[in-house]
Amino acid sequence: MEDTKLSPMQLFALLVLFQLGTALVVNLGMAAREDAWIAVLCGMLVGCLLFLGYAFLYTAFPDKLPTQYMRLLLGKYLGGLIGFAYILFYMNKASRDLMDGGLLVFASTLKETPLFIINTVMMLTIIYVLHKGIEVLARTAFILLWVVFVIGIIILFLLLFSGIIDFTRILPVLSDGFGPVLESVYRQNYQFPFGEIICFTMVLPYLNNVKAGVRAGLMSVLLSGMILSGTVVITISILGVDIAERSIFPLLTMVGKASIADFIQRLDILVVMVLIIGDFFKIAVYFYAAVIGASDLFKIPYRKVLYPLALIVLFTSITIARTYSEHVKKGGDVLYIMDPLFYVIVPAALIVAALIYRFRFRRHSGT
């Protein structure tokens, strides 16, 4: 482990930017149509429960990385194998998010630039920050979180004053009952982006205040969920369900419609800035979790693992799919089939193992 410590506010900033990340880009919760915002809020509540589970494992082993307490609870070989599976999982997620960010920049601003060049520049920036350590990344997140909030407020006011918001488009509420909402939560909203914070189990051991850090983490999930739900409400109110569902980047489409007196226009660049910042931190945290896990598991110095894994993530991001539709389909398949194993099933098994371990340890200490 690095010899650094993070404050609860730095963790809060990292978590908020991570969760907003690519979630602002996609059609979040659209399986529930007009009730997508409710599905996001329900996913947020499930995300709070998941975070409390991850936090329990952290408080049970506050000075150990997951790759360490996995081997303690499940044995050297099984725990090591599961730890290695998580490393591959985090690298795959980092590659996919790098692809998402590259496609966004390519589609919105740099249409003549090869995707490989865009992804390479993003990856080089991430490597530079992570070479300095997780504390530098967290300090950067704390500063840029304020930038994102300011930009978000500016965009919100411009949308309100442009007169294009029609809240009747989100009505009627629950016209088809709660079934579509629950299906959307099950198939997407609890996992993306809230279940993805499992990679922060690799970051939590660096906190300088355990209780305040857990509270900050829980508050970050609540705030991110409300921001995402509000964004969905405004998106549907401007575009309508059908257009929002068909749009590749609905947030960009929505903001592109804003105009005040034909003078203030083309706010797309503000959205692109927010999305690049969020995607940067999402890739960085996923990649850091993979690097620090590999460093611990294979007993290799952190910085010696950083660069080889960066090359793997970069080239995987280019070869992961041939088209955007294929990229989205593969991501959906993984989300529905593989992700629950890493977000819910394995952590639940580890919680049970930790409770058994604690009971046996206390009984042994008592005798």
Side-chain angles (χ1 to χ4, degrees):
M1 287 177 57
E2 292 184 74
D3 187 21
T4 56
K5 288 296 180 181
L6 305 181
S7 71
M9 281 306 299
Q10 289 172 338
L11 176 71
F12 176 85
L14 269 176
L15 272 162
V16 171
L17 290 176
F18 177 91
Q19 289 171 92
L20 295 182
T22 53
L24 286 170
V25 180
V26 301
N27 299 308
L28 199 61
M30 283 300 168
R33 296 185 63 77
E34 291 89 351
D35 300 318
W37 62 278
I38 301 177
V40 174
L41 290 177
C42 292
M44 175 196 72
L45 295 177
V46 178
C48 288
L49 294 176
L50 291 175
F51 178 79
L52 290 175
Y54 306 151
F56 170 80
L57 291 171
Y58 160 58
T59 54
F61 306 97
D63 299 321
K64 294 185 182 296
L65 293 168
T67 47
Q68 294 172 328
Y69 61 68
M70 283 177 186
R71 284 173 285 174
L72 178 66
L73 295 174
L74 304 177
K76 178 180 178 181
Y77 297 106
L78 178 59
L81 182 63
I82 293 175
F84 182 67
Y86 268 98
I87 292 168
L88 296 179
F89 179 71
Y90 294 147
M91 289 179 64
N92 175 263
K93 288 294 185 181
S95 299
R96 291 195 57 81
D97 288 328
L98 183 59
M99 180 71 162
D100 285 333
L103 287 171
L104 169 69
V105 175
F106 176 80
S108 60
T109 54
L110 303 178
K111 297 182 180 180
E112 302 299 325
T113 305
L115 186 61
F116 179 76
I117 300 300
I118 298 172
N119 288 6
T120 300
V121 172
M122 176 73 85
M123 204 65 207
L124 286 173
T125 310
I126 290 169
I127 293 170
Y128 174 76
V129 175
L130 290 184
H131 181 85
K132 302 292 183 180
I134 186 65
E135 190 173 2
V136 174
L137 181 70
R139 289 177 179 175
T140 307
F142 185 73
I143 295 170
L144 291 180
L145 180 63
W146 290 105
V147 174
V148 169
F149 280 165
V150 170
I151 293 175
I153 292 170
I154 292 172
I155 292 174
L156 178 60
F157 274 103
L158 290 174
L159 289 173
L160 289 173
F161 285 113
S162 65
I164 59 175
I165 299 178
D166 181 6
F167 287 113
T168 61
R169 291 192 173 115
I170 65 170
L171 300 176
V173 176
L174 297 176
S175 60
D176 296 322
F178 218 73
V181 172
L182 292 178
E183 183 180 357
S184 179
V185 172
Y186 170 73
R187 292 182 65 83
Q188 182 192 53
N189 297 115
Y190 87 90
Q191 303 173 54
F192 178 77
F194 306 110
E196 294 184 317
I197 60 176
I198 190 170
C199 61
F200 277 84
T201 54
M202 289 287 190
V203 178
L204 292 176
Y206 298 107
L207 276 170
N208 59 14
N209 188 320
V210 176
K211 291 184 178 179
V214 172
R215 286 197 298 269
L218 198 58
M219 290 301 103
S220 76
V221 176
L222 291 171
L223 177 62
S224 301
M226 288 187 287
I227 290 174
L228 291 171
S229 180
T231 302
V232 171
V233 168
I234 295 174
T235 301
I236 295 176
S237 298
I238 293 175
L239 299 179
V241 173
D242 294 331
I243 296 177
E245 196 172 15
R246 292 196 302 268
S247 297
I248 297 177
F249 301 120
L251 189 62
L252 275 176
T253 306
M254 171 188 74
V255 174
K257 290 182 174 294
S259 174
I260 299 179
D262 294 326
F263 174 68
I264 300 177
Q265 298 179 339
R266 301 297 300 172
L267 305 176
D268 311 42
I269 187 62
L270 295 178
V271 176
V272 173
M273 285 175 61
V274 170
L275 297 181
I276 288 176
I277 291 172
D279 193 56
F280 171 86
F281 284 99
K282 192 162 188 180
I283 300 166
V285 175
Y286 264 135
F287 182 58
Y288 177 80
V291 170
I292 202 70
S295 175
D296 172 68
L297 198 60
F298 299 109
K299 307 303 178 187
I300 302 173
Y302 166 76
R303 287 180 175 84
K304 289 188 177 180
V305 180
L306 186 65
Y307 298 99
L309 292 191
L311 288 174
I312 295 174
V313 169
L314 175 60
F315 283 100
T316 303
S317 71
I318 301 299
T319 59
I320 203 167
R322 292 169 294 181
T323 62
Y324 181 77
S325 58
E326 182 184 351
H327 173 66
V328 172
K329 184 180 183 304
K330 285 184 177 180
D333 293 341
V334 171
L335 190 68
Y336 306 143
I337 300 171
M338 290 297 299
D339 286 7
L341 176 66
F342 291 95
Y343 297 153
V344 181
I345 297 174
V346 173
L350 289 172
I351 290 172
V352 172
L355 290 171
I356 295 172
Y357 175 85
R358 179 182 289 183
F359 174 75
R360 293 178 61 183
F361 179 79
R362 286 180 177 175
R363 190 175 65 172
H364 179 74
S365 299
T367 56

